[in-house]
Coordinates of all heavy atoms in Angstrom, one line a residue:
Chain A
E174 N 53.0 77.5 106.3 CA 52.7 78.2 105.1 C 51.4 79.0 105.2 O 51.3 80.1 104.8 CB 52.7 77.3 103.9 CG 52.4 77.9 102.5 CD 52.5 77.0 101.4 OE1 52.2 75.8 101.5 OE2 53.0 77.5 100.3
V175 N 50.4 78.4 105.7 CA 49.1 79.0 105.7 C 48.7 79.6 107.0 O 48.2 80.8 107.0 CB 48.0 77.9 105.3 CG1 46.6 78.4 105.5 CG2 48.2 77.4 103.9
S176 N 49.0 79.0 108.2 CA 48.5 79.5 109.4 C 49.1 80.9 109.7 O 48.4 81.8 110.2 CB 48.7 78.6 110.6 OG 50.0 78.2 110.8
P177 N 50.4 81.2 109.5 CA 50.9 82.5 109.8 C 50.3 83.6 108.9 O 50.0 84.7 109.3 CB 52.4 82.4 109.4 CG 52.7 80.9 109.6 CD 51.5 80.2 109.1
Y178 N 49.9 83.2 107.6 CA 49.2 84.1 106.8 C 47.9 84.5 107.4 O 47.5 85.6 107.4 CB 49.1 83.5 105.3 CG 48.2 84.4 104.5 CD1 48.7 85.5 103.7 CD2 46.8 84.2 104.4 CE1 47.9 86.3 103.0 CE2 45.9 85.0 103.7 CZ 46.5 86.1 103.0 OH 45.7 86.9 102.2
L179 N 47.1 83.4 107.8 CA 45.8 83.7 108.3 C 45.8 84.6 109.5 O 44.9 85.4 109.8 CB 45.1 82.4 108.6 CG 44.7 81.5 107.4 CD1 44.1 80.2 107.8 CD2 43.7 82.2 106.5
I180 N 46.9 84.4 110.3 CA 46.9 85.2 111.6 C 47.5 86.6 111.4 O 47.0 87.6 111.9 CB 47.7 84.4 112.6 CG1 46.9 83.2 113.1 CG2 48.1 85.3 113.8 CD1 47.5 82.3 114.1
D181 N 48.6 86.7 110.5 CA 49.3 88.0 110.4 C 48.9 88.8 109.3 O 49.1 90.0 109.3 CB 50.8 87.7 110.3 CG 51.4 86.9 111.5 OD1 50.8 87.1 112.6 OD2 52.3 86.1 111.4
V182 N 48.5 88.2 108.2 CA 48.3 89.0 106.9 C 46.9 89.2 106.5 O 46.5 90.3 106.1 CB 49.2 88.3 105.8 CG1 49.1 89.2 104.5 CG2 50.6 88.1 106.2
F183 N 46.1 88.1 106.6 CA 44.7 88.1 106.2 C 44.0 89.2 106.9 O 44.0 89.3 108.1 CB 44.2 86.7 106.5 CG 42.8 86.4 106.0 CD1 42.5 86.7 104.7 CD2 41.9 85.7 106.8 CE1 41.2 86.3 104.2 CE2 40.7 85.3 106.4 CZ 40.3 85.7 105.1
G184 N 43.4 90.1 106.1 CA 42.8 91.3 106.8 C 41.3 91.3 106.7 O 40.7 90.7 105.8
V185 N 40.6 92.1 107.6 CA 39.2 92.2 107.5 C 38.8 92.7 106.2 O 39.4 93.7 105.7 CB 38.7 93.1 108.7 CG1 37.2 93.5 108.5 CG2 38.9 92.4 110.0
G186 N 37.8 92.1 105.5 CA 37.3 92.4 104.2 C 38.0 91.6 103.1 O 37.5 91.5 102.0
D187 N 39.1 90.9 103.4 CA 39.8 90.1 102.4 C 39.0 88.8 102.1 O 38.3 88.2 103.0 CB 41.2 89.7 102.9 CG 42.2 90.8 102.9 OD1 41.9 91.9 102.3 OD2 43.3 90.6 103.4
P188 N 39.1 88.4 100.8 CA 38.4 87.2 100.4 C 39.2 85.9 100.7 O 40.4 86.0 100.7 CB 38.1 87.3 98.9 CG 39.3 88.2 98.5 CD 39.7 89.0 99.7
V189 N 38.6 84.8 100.9 CA 39.2 83.5 101.0 C 38.3 82.5 100.4 O 37.1 82.6 100.5 CB 39.6 83.2 102.4 CG1 38.4 83.1 103.3 CG2 40.5 81.9 102.5
E190 N 38.8 81.5 99.7 CA 38.0 80.4 99.2 C 37.7 79.4 100.4 O 38.6 79.0 101.1 CB 38.6 79.7 98.0 CG 38.4 80.6 96.8 CD 38.9 79.9 95.6 OE1 40.1 79.7 95.5 OE2 38.1 79.4 94.7
V191 N 36.4 79.0 100.5 CA 36.0 78.1 101.5 C 35.2 76.9 100.9 O 34.4 77.1 100.0 CB 35.0 78.9 102.4 CG1 34.5 78.0 103.6 CG2 35.6 80.2 103.0
R192 N 35.5 75.7 101.4 CA 34.8 74.6 101.0 C 34.3 73.8 102.2 O 35.0 73.5 103.1 CB 35.7 73.7 100.2 CG 34.9 72.6 99.5 CD 35.8 71.8 98.6 NE 34.9 70.9 97.8 CZ 35.4 69.9 97.0 NH1 36.7 69.8 96.9 NH2 34.6 69.2 96.4
G193 N 33.0 73.5 102.2 CA 32.5 72.8 103.4 C 31.0 72.8 103.5 O 30.3 73.4 102.6
P194 N 30.4 72.2 104.5 CA 31.1 71.6 105.6 C 31.7 70.2 105.2 O 31.1 69.6 104.3 CB 30.1 71.4 106.7 CG 28.8 71.3 105.9 CD 28.9 72.1 104.7
L195 N 32.8 69.8 105.8 CA 33.5 68.6 105.4 C 33.6 67.7 106.7 O 33.7 68.2 107.8 CB 34.9 68.8 104.9 CG 34.9 69.7 103.6 CD1 36.3 70.1 103.3 CD2 34.3 68.9 102.4
G196 N 33.6 66.4 106.4 CA 33.8 65.5 107.6 C 32.5 65.0 108.1 O 31.7 65.8 108.6
G197 N 32.2 63.7 108.0 CA 30.9 63.2 108.4 C 31.0 62.2 109.5 O 30.1 61.5 109.8
W198 N 32.2 62.1 110.2 CA 32.4 61.1 111.2 C 32.6 61.7 112.6 O 32.0 61.3 113.5 CB 33.6 60.3 110.8 CG 34.1 59.3 111.8 CD1 35.2 59.3 112.5 CD2 33.4 58.1 112.3 NE1 35.3 58.2 113.4 CE2 34.2 57.5 113.3 CE3 32.1 57.6 112.0 CZ2 33.8 56.4 113.9 CZ3 31.7 56.4 112.6 CH2 32.6 55.8 113.6
F199 N 33.5 62.7 112.7 CA 33.8 63.3 114.0 C 32.8 64.4 114.3 O 33.1 65.6 114.3 CB 35.2 63.9 113.9 CG 35.8 64.3 115.2 CD1 36.5 63.3 116.0 CD2 35.7 65.6 115.7 CE1 37.0 63.6 117.2 CE2 36.2 65.9 117.0 CZ 36.9 64.9 117.7
I200 N 31.5 63.9 114.4 CA 30.5 64.9 114.6 C 29.6 64.5 115.8 O 29.5 63.3 116.1 CB 29.5 65.0 113.4 CG1 29.1 63.6 112.9 CG2 30.2 65.8 112.3 CD1 28.1 63.7 111.7
W201 N 29.0 65.5 116.5 CA 28.0 65.2 117.5 C 26.7 65.8 117.1 O 26.7 66.9 116.6 CB 28.5 65.8 118.9 CG 27.5 65.6 120.0 CD1 27.2 64.4 120.6 CD2 26.6 66.6 120.5 NE1 26.2 64.6 121.5 CE2 25.9 65.9 121.5 CE3 26.4 67.9 120.3 CZ2 24.9 66.6 122.3 CZ3 25.4 68.6 121.1 CH2 24.7 67.9 122.0
R202 N 25.7 65.0 117.2 CA 24.3 65.5 116.8 C 23.6 65.8 118.1 O 23.5 65.0 119.0 CB 23.5 64.4 116.1 CG 24.1 64.1 114.7 CD 23.4 62.9 114.1 NE 24.1 62.5 112.9 CZ 24.0 63.0 111.7 NH1 23.1 64.0 111.5 NH2 24.7 62.6 110.7
P203 N 23.1 67.1 118.2 CA 22.4 67.5 119.4 C 21.3 66.6 119.9 O 20.9 66.6 121.0 CB 21.9 68.9 119.1 CG 22.9 69.4 118.0 CD 23.2 68.2 117.2
E204 N 20.7 65.8 119.0 CA 19.6 64.9 119.4 C 20.2 63.6 120.1 O 19.4 62.8 120.6 CB 18.7 64.6 118.3 CG 19.2 64.0 117.0 CD 19.8 64.9 116.0 OE1 20.1 66.1 116.4 OE2 20.0 64.5 114.8
Q205 N 21.5 63.4 120.1 CA 22.0 62.2 120.7 C 21.9 62.4 122.2 O 22.0 63.5 122.8 CB 23.5 62.1 120.3 CG 23.6 61.6 118.9 CD 25.1 61.5 118.4 OE1 25.3 61.3 117.2 NE2 26.0 61.7 119.2
T206 N 21.7 61.2 122.9 CA 21.4 61.3 124.3 C 22.5 60.7 125.2 O 22.5 60.8 126.4 CB 20.1 60.6 124.7 OG1 20.2 59.3 124.1 CG2 18.9 61.3 124.1
A207 N 23.5 59.9 124.6 CA 24.6 59.3 125.4 C 25.4 60.4 126.0 O 25.7 61.5 125.4 CB 25.4 58.4 124.5
P208 N 26.0 60.1 127.3 CA 26.9 61.1 127.8 C 28.1 61.3 126.9 O 28.5 60.3 126.2 CB 27.4 60.4 129.1 CG 26.4 59.3 129.4 CD 25.8 59.0 128.1
V209 N 28.7 62.4 127.0 CA 29.8 62.7 126.0 C 31.1 63.1 126.8 O 31.0 63.8 127.8 CB 29.4 63.9 125.1 CG1 30.6 64.5 124.4 CG2 28.3 63.5 124.2
Q210 N 32.2 62.4 126.4 CA 33.5 62.9 126.9 C 34.3 63.5 125.8 O 34.4 62.9 124.7 CB 34.2 61.8 127.8 CG 34.3 60.4 127.2 CD 34.9 59.4 128.1 OE1 35.4 59.8 129.2 NE2 35.0 58.2 127.7
L211 N 34.9 64.6 126.1 CA 35.7 65.4 125.1 C 37.1 65.5 125.6 O 37.3 65.9 126.8 CB 35.1 66.8 124.9 CG 33.6 66.9 124.6 CD1 33.1 68.3 124.6 CD2 33.3 66.2 123.2
L212 N 38.1 65.1 124.8 CA 39.5 65.2 125.2 C 40.2 65.9 124.2 O 40.3 65.5 123.0 CB 40.1 63.8 125.5 CG 39.3 63.0 126.6 CD1 38.5 61.9 126.0 CD2 40.3 62.5 127.6
G213 N 40.7 67.1 124.5 CA 41.4 68.0 123.5 C 42.8 68.3 123.9 O 43.1 68.6 125.1
G214 N 43.7 68.4 123.0 CA 45.0 68.9 123.2 C 45.3 70.1 122.3 O 45.1 70.0 121.1
G215 N 45.7 71.2 122.9 CA 46.0 72.4 122.1 C 44.9 72.9 121.3 O 43.7 73.0 121.8
S216 N 45.1 73.1 120.0 CA 44.0 73.6 119.2 C 43.0 72.5 118.9 O 41.9 72.8 118.3 CB 44.5 74.2 117.9 OG 45.3 73.3 117.2
G217 N 43.2 71.3 119.3 CA 42.3 70.2 119.2 C 41.0 70.5 120.0 O 40.0 69.8 119.9

Side-chain angles (χ1 to χ4, degrees):
Chain A
E174 180 170 36
V175 171
S176 60
Y178 172 86
L179 291 175
I180 289 182
D181 301 330
V182 185
F183 189 42
V185 169
D187 286 349
V189 62
E190 282 184 289
V191 182
R192 190 173 188 191
L195 300 167
W198 173 248
F199 194 85
I200 49 176
W201 179 71
R202 294 173 189 274
E204 59 273 20
Q205 286 174 190
T206 54
V209 169
Q210 45 185 359
L211 308 172
L212 300 105
S216 58

